[in-house]
C-alpha cells in the first residue's frame, strides 16, 4: 500500500533499498524516503479514509498495516485565530495546534513511524535521547507496541514529563548536561545495531511521520497550501518533513506551490538564524538556558546543513526569540484565543510577529503557525495566591463586582 | 438547524421554551433539553459533515452557528486495548480517551456548549466552581469566545492547572475547603442572573455537550452501541448526558439498545455506589481525600437522585475504588497500552476490573471504558533519580546490557 520506493541520499543522490540503514552506504550522507510520483498523484486527498497519521499510509514508509501502531495521534485542529492575527498585524492567521496529540506534542507523529519501523525491521528495543517531549512520546508508543523503550532524558525535564516517562518504561534514565553532550555517544552505540534508533539525527523512517502535518494542513485548507509555514527548529525534523511533503504534493500535481518555510529558534540556541542572517554555513554553538527546552539544541549535527539548504532553496526566513518574548506570546495566545501551549510550542509566535513587523511577511499573506506542544505539562511554579474562604459573600463580591 | 424543542422537567414532566432557566418554573425540578424525534431520526450518522462536537449540532441546543465556539474538541480516539482487556479478564475492551481534548479532559465537551449558550443568551460573563479541570477548560473557551470567565478552583488544584487558569483569565480565585462547601454559595449568586452558569449542578445547555461522547462511540463502533459504558461519577454529567444520548439514538431508530451504565467512584466519595448497594436513596457524605480530584464530590446536589434513577432504570452497576487501586490501574494502563491518564481519568478502571471479577460484567461483553483526563497535567512528585554523566560508556552499558 505504501508508495515508498527507496532511500535517497541527500549528498550523492543514489537510491538504496528500503532497509534499516541510517546513512548512505556509499557516502555516509543522510537519506530520505522517496515515493513514486505516479502513485502519489493518485492519493485522493479530501476523500481519504481512516483517521490520524495512518490516513496517509500510502505516503509513509511502513508496508504492513499490522505495524500501524496508534494512540489516536494526528488530526490536530487548524484553528482560525482572528484576535491573534490582529495582534500580529496579519489579516488572517491559522494555528496548527499539536498539543492535542496523545502525549501533547508533535513528537507523536514521528514516534509512530519510528515504532512502526522498529516492528517492520524486527526490533524489540528502541531508544531516544530527549529534552523531554520525545521521551514522553516514545515511552507511550513503545508500550503500546509491546517493545522495550530506552529513554535518556535531560535532568532539567519538567516533572509531569518525568512522571509520564517513568510510568511508561522501566528503562528510563536522566542525564546531566545538555542534549548536545549526550547525542553523539547515543548515536555511536545505536550503530552497534541492537537497539532501533528513535533519535532525530538520522532515521528517515521516523522523520517521515511529520510529513503528515503538511498533508493535514493541505486538507484542512481545502486542498490549498499557505504562503508561509512557521516551524520551531530543534533538530529541524518538522521543517524537513513538512517541506518535503509540500514538495511531494506539488510534484504529484495536487498543489500549485510550496509554502515558504520560516525557522523559529531561541536566541539561546540560534545557529540556523545566524547562518540565515550571515549567508554563511551553520556554526554549532554552546547554548544558554531557554524556557523553550524542546529547541535547546546548539549542534544540529548532520541535519543542520540540510535544514539550511531546504530553507534557502524554498526561499525561507528565520527569526530568534528571547525567553521574555516567548512567554509574552504564550500569554497572548491563551488570553486572546484560549490556546494553552508550552514555551517550546510558542517559540514560533514572536518569530512570526517580528517578521511581520519587519515587512518580510506581508499583512495579507496566508500563514500557518505551528504550535507544537500543550501547556498542560509545564511545571513552572504558578504565582502565589491566597485562597478565599468558601462563603456566599466572597462569591457575591467577586461575581457581582 | 438544531432539533431542540424545549426544556423538559425531570420531575413534573412539563415542557418549557428554550430560554436561560436553570430549574423548572413550575416545580423547581431539573430540566433537560428535548429534541424532535423525527428530526433526530434523519441525522445521517456515519456520513455527517464537520469535525468534533459541532458535527452533532442538530442534537445540541445552540441555534446559531456563529456561537459554535471551538478549539478542536471532541473526536477523541476509541482505542482497542487487547493487553488491558486480558488484564481485566475481558475478551475485548475499548477505551474512549478524553485526554486528547484541547485542555486534556472531557470537560471541554460541556464547556463548549456552556460558552455557546452564554453567547446565545447574550451574556458576557460566565462562572464555574471546579476541582481544577472544569476551570482549566472554561478559562480557555471563554477566552476563545471573548467573554469574561470567573473561575473558583480548589486550593488543592494541581500546579499545571493553576498555571493554565491563571494565564487564561484574570478572574481566577482559589478557595479553601472542598467543592461541596463552595458550590451552594456559587449557585445562589448565579441565580441573581448577571453571570452565566457553567457549573455542573443545573445548566441543561452545558450538560448536553457531553452527549457527543455517546454519538462518537456510536459512530466509531460502526453504528453500534456497546453493552456497558463505564462512567466516572463526580456530579454525574457524563452519565446523564451519555445515557440520554444513547436513549435518543434508540428512540430515533438509529440503535437497537441502550448500554448499561456503570458508575465509578472513589471509596472516599462513594455516595452513588452506597445507594446502589443498599437500594436506598442517596445520602450525602463528608468526603475524604482522594487522588481522583475530579470525582471528589460528596454531595451531588439535585443531580444525585437523577443519576441514581437513570442508573437503576438502565439496569446499571457501580463500584468504588481506593486510591491505591486507582494508581495501580493508572500504571497498568500506560505500561500495557501506552495511554497516560490522570487519576481522575483512571477511576473507571478498577471499578470495571472489580465487576468483571465478580461476574457482574461477563467476559464476552462489549465494553467501552471512559478515561476522562490526560496524565500530563498531574504534578505528583516523581520518584527521585540520579542523573547519569553523558558518556558513551554509560549509554553502551545500558543499551547493550
Amino acid at each position: 500500500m505504501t508508495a515508498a520506493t527507496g532511500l535517497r541520499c541527500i549528498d550523492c543522490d543514489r537510491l538504496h533499498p528500503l532497509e534499516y540503514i541510517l546513512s548512505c552506504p556509499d557516502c555516509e550522507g543522510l537519506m530520505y524516503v522517496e515515493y513514486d510520483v505516479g502513485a502519489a498523484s493518485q492519493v485522493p486527498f479530501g476523500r481519504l479514509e481512516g483517521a490520524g497519521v495512518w490516513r496517509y499510509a500510502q505516503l509513509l514508509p511502513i508496508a504492513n498495516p499490522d505495524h500501524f501502531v496508534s494512540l489516536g495521534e494526528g488530526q490536530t485542529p487548524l484553528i482560525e485565530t482572528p484576535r491573534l492575527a490582529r495582534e500580529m498585524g496579519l489579516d488572517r492567521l491559522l494555528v496548527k495546534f499539536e498539543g492535542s496529540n496523545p502525549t501533547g506534542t508533535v513528537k507523536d507523529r514521528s514516534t509512530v513511524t519510528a515504532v512502526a519501523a522498529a516492528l517492520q525491521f524486527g526490533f524489540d528495543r528502541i531508544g531516544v535521547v530527549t529534552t523531554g517531549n520525545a521521551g514522553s512520546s516514545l515511552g507511550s508508543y513503545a508500550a503500546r507496541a509491546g517493545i522495550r523503550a530506552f529513554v535518556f532524558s535531560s535532568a532539567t525535564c519538567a516533572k509531569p514529563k518525568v512522571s509520564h516517562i517513568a510510568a511508561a518504561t522501566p528503562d528510563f534514565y536522566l542525564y546531566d548536561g545538555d542534549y548536545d553532550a549526550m547525542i553523539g555517544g547515543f548515536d555511536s552505540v545505536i550503530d552497534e545495531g541492537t537497539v532501533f534508533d528513535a533519535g532525530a539525527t538520522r532515521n528517515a523512517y521516523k522523520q517521515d511521520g511529520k510529513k503528515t502535518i503538511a498533508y493535514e494542513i493541505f486538507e484542512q485548507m481545502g486542498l490549498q497550501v499557505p504562503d508561509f509555514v512557521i516551524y520551531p527548529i530543534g533538530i529541524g525534523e518538522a521543517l524537513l518533513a513538512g517541506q518535503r511533503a509540500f514538495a511531494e504534493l506539488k510534484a504529484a500535481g495536487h498543489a500549485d506551490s510550496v509554502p515558504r518555510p520560516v525557522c523559529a529558534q531561541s536566541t539561546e540556541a540560534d545557529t540556523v538564524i545566524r547562518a540565515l542572517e550571515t549567508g554563511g554555513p551553520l556554526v554549532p554553538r554552546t547554548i544558554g538556558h531557554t524556557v523553550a527546552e524542546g529547541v535547546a539544541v546548539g549542534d544540529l549535527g548532520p541535519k543542520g546543513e540540510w535544514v539550511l539548504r531546504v530553507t534557502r532553496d524554498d526561499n525561507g526566513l528565520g527569526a530568534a526569540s528571547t525567553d521574555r518574548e516567548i512567554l509574552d506570546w504564550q500569554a497572548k495566545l491563551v488570553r486572546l484565543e484560549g490556546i494553552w501551549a508550552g514555551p517550546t510550542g510558542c517559540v514560533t509566535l514572536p518569530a512570526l510577529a517580528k517578521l511581520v513587523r519587519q515587512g518580510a511577511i506581508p499583512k495579507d499573506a496566508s500563514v500557518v503557525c505551528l504550535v507544537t506542544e500543550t501547556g498542560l505539562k509545564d511545571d513552572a511554579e504558578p504565582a502565589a495566591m491566597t485562597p478565599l474562604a468558601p462563603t456566599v459573600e466572597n462569591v457575591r463580591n467577586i461575581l457581582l463586582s
Side-chain angles (χ1 to χ4, degrees), chain A:
Chain A
M1 181 176 177
T2 174
T5 54
L7 292 166
R8 177 77 66 186
C9 175
I10 66 165
D11 289 332
C12 74
D13 206 41
R14 287 201 188 88
L15 192 68
H16 302 283
L18 285 165
E19 293 165 0
Y20 176 52
I21 40 175
L22 296 172
S23 55
C24 174
D26 295 319
C27 77
E28 298 191 3
L30 288 170
M31 295 182 298
Y32 63 90
V33 181
E34 189 161 273
Y35 296 84
D36 179 72
V37 178
S41 71
Q42 299 304 310
V43 174
F45 285 101
R47 293 174 290 111
L48 282 163
E49 299 284 323
V53 162
W54 297 111
R55 174 179 174 89
Y56 308 107
Q58 290 162 272
L59 301 172
L60 296 174
I62 308 300
N64 183 347
D66 290 347
H67 299 147
F68 291 179
V69 59
S70 178
L71 289 167
E73 57 293 330
Q75 249 177 336
T76 58
L78 184 69
I79 306 175
E80 185 83 53
T81 54
R83 293 188 191 88
L84 188 69
R86 205 151 49 232
E87 185 75 17
M88 287 275 176
L90 286 168
D91 292 343
R92 189 182 174 204
L93 175 59
L94 295 167
V95 166
K96 182 74 172 160
F97 181 56
E98 292 289 301
S100 289
N101 280 301
T103 78
T105 79
V106 68
K107 300 286 180 186
D108 291 340
R109 294 182 187 272
S110 44
T111 303
V112 285
T113 50
V115 171
L119 296 174
Q120 172 160 290
F121 295 110
F123 283 76
D124 59 4
R125 295 180 168 208
I126 188 166
V128 74
V129 174
T130 172
T131 56
N133 284 331
S136 191
S137 183
L138 183 64
S140 268
Y141 281 90
R144 177 72 175 154
I147 64 176
R148 194 166 161 189
F150 290 84
V151 176
F152 297 90
S153 181
S154 163
T156 60
C157 179
K159 280 180 197 167
K161 300 178 194 175
V162 171
S163 295
H164 176 198
I165 304 169
T169 177
D171 300 303
F172 171 38
Y173 304 89
L174 294 180
Y175 62 84
D176 277 322
D178 60 33
Y179 178 89
D180 299 324
M182 193 68 187
I183 190 65
F186 175 82
D187 280 350
S188 74
V189 181
I190 283 291
D191 285 336
E192 302 185 25
T194 62
V195 176
F196 193 81
D197 180 28
T201 324
R202 300 172 295 172
N203 186 336
Y205 297 93
K206 174 179 186 237
Q207 181 169 289
D208 262 21
K210 289 204 180 129
K211 284 169 62 187
T212 58
I213 302 174
Y215 301 139
E216 289 184 14
I217 290 170
F218 178 64
E219 287 199 296
Q220 290 170 317
M221 291 183 71
L223 309 188
Q224 301 291 325
V225 300
D227 300 328
F228 294 89
V229 176
I230 325 298
Y231 299 96
I233 305 294
I235 297 295
E237 271 202 327
L239 180 142
L240 290 173
Q243 290 300 114
R244 190 154 42 80
F246 284 122
E248 284 172 1
L249 286 173
K250 181 159 182 273
H254 295 294
D256 296 331
S257 60
V258 170
R260 293 175 63 185
V262 177
C263 300
Q265 291 191 306
S266 158
T267 49
E268 299 303 318
D270 59 352
T271 55
V272 172
I273 309 308
R274 287 184 187 199
L276 288 172
E277 281 169 0
T278 62
L282 206 64
V283 183
R285 58 166 286 199
T286 303
I287 63 171
H289 176 264
T290 167
V291 291
E293 59 185 27
V295 294
V297 178
D299 182 356
L300 279 66
K303 275 196 181 162
E305 284 297 332
W306 190 9
V307 169
L308 202 56
R309 191 198 308 176
V310 169
T311 303
R312 285 171 173 155
D313 286 352
D314 288 349
N315 198 16
L317 300 166
S321 308
T322 64
D323 278 5
R324 186 66 263 154
E325 293 169 324
I326 293 168
L327 295 173
D328 278 353
W329 281 95
Q330 177 189 34
K332 285 180 186 175
L333 180 65
V334 68
R335 203 53 77 85
L336 294 172
E337 300 289 356
I339 299 168
W340 182 228
T344 298
C346 294
V347 72
T348 47
L349 297 170
L352 173 57
K354 214 166 286 183
L355 292 165
V356 174
R357 209 163 50 235
Q358 292 169 0
I361 295 179
K363 186 175 176 304
D364 61 354
S366 156
V367 180
V368 170
C369 188
L370 300 188
V371 171
T372 53
E373 152 185 85
T374 179
L376 298 175
K377 49 181 166 172
D378 195 1
D379 66 351
E381 193 67 26
M385 293 171 66
T386 307
L388 299 172
T391 65
V392 181
E393 293 65 39
N394 276 338
V395 178
R396 174 172 292 113
N397 287 341
I398 290 164
L399 286 188
L400 307 182
S401 64

